[in-house]
Amino acid sequence: MLKYEMKKIFTKRINRILLAAALLIGIILSCFAVGSVFYTDENGDSPKGITAWRLLAEDKNQWEGELTPEKISEVLKIDRALAAQYPDEVPDEVYGSVVQSYWDIKDFVINVLTPDSMWDESVIYQLTDEQTGEIYEIYRENMSKMAEELAANWQQGDMIRLK
């Protein structure tokens, strides 16, 4: 049965052309995805392509494991020290050798602390050790608020449709 259906699809010239076009578009988009990674090495250079993906994964794997408040605190201490040392901007060499490896953790903390506002990096410099220990409680509270807001908006939408 499947063979018959496939034969029906591939006997038409337009279907073969559309399938080839879809395959070509898929290959082109895959190439864009491979080339879109941002990686900086210890020298400040930026390799491209699959090499950059592999190097970035190796770099981030040093923080592999459970993301505990202690690990978050360690990341924030390193970031605060670098911010004090380089008040304007971290050089590419330092970014490539240090910051890039923990950027996802830093991004997570900033998103947890600023759920309703714009992305503001300064919140991590105001974070106390006690708040760092309670980061997952803050995260749970934010998720509960978001779920309640979503439920309220959904119910409002249903009420409007009923009228």
Side-chain angles (χ1 to χ4, degrees):
M1 190 69 161
L2 180 64
K3 185 178 176 182
Y4 175 70
E5 293 296 328
M6 296 300 283
K7 185 178 179 183
K8 278 180 24 181
I9 291 172
F10 288 113
T11 54
K12 293 183 181 177
R13 183 176 173 91
I14 188 72
N15 289 343
R16 287 184 290 193
I17 292 171
L18 289 174
L19 185 62
L23 185 64
L24 182 66
I25 290 171
I27 291 170
I28 290 170
L29 292 177
S30 297
C31 291
F32 285 145
V34 168
S36 69
V37 68
F38 296 103
Y39 176 77
T40 305
D41 63 13
E42 303 85 23
N43 301 324
D45 299 327
S46 297
K48 302 282 184 209
I50 295 175
T51 305
W53 282 99
R54 289 185 183 144
L55 293 171
L56 184 61
E58 286 176 18
D59 203 21
K60 289 183 178 191
N61 279 343
Q62 67 183 342
W63 296 100
E64 184 180 28
E66 186 176 344
L67 186 58
T68 62
E70 293 79 23
K71 195 178 278 189
I72 293 172
S73 181
E74 181 183 347
V75 164
L76 295 181
K77 284 179 187 173
I78 294 169
D79 197 66
R80 288 175 185 148
L82 287 173
Q85 188 175 1
Y86 304 104
D88 293 330
E89 186 177 330
V90 177
D92 286 345
E93 296 81 15
V94 176
Y95 177 83
S97 62
V98 181
V99 178
Q100 180 172 252
S101 66
Y102 66 76
W103 182 260
D104 291 340
I105 298 170
K106 180 180 171 180
D107 185 50
F108 168 74
V109 172
I110 292 170
N111 285 325
V112 165
L113 297 174
T114 59
D116 296 330
S117 60
M118 295 293 289
W119 196 87
D120 182 14
E121 191 172 348
S122 67
V123 296
I124 62 172
Y125 305 118
Q126 302 162 2
L127 191 64
T128 64
D129 289 336
E130 183 179 310
Q131 289 172 321
T132 304
E134 298 171 354
I135 194 77
Y136 285 109
E137 290 302 318
I138 297 169
Y139 181 67
R140 281 187 203 98
E141 289 172 14
N142 291 341
M143 294 300 284
S144 295
K145 287 178 190 175
M146 288 171 51
E148 290 169 6
E149 288 175 13
L150 184 62
N153 290 339
W154 184 75
Q155 287 175 349
Q156 253 182 349
D158 277 353
M159 299 292 259
I160 291 170
R161 278 187 253 146
L162 291 175
K163 290 181 181 179

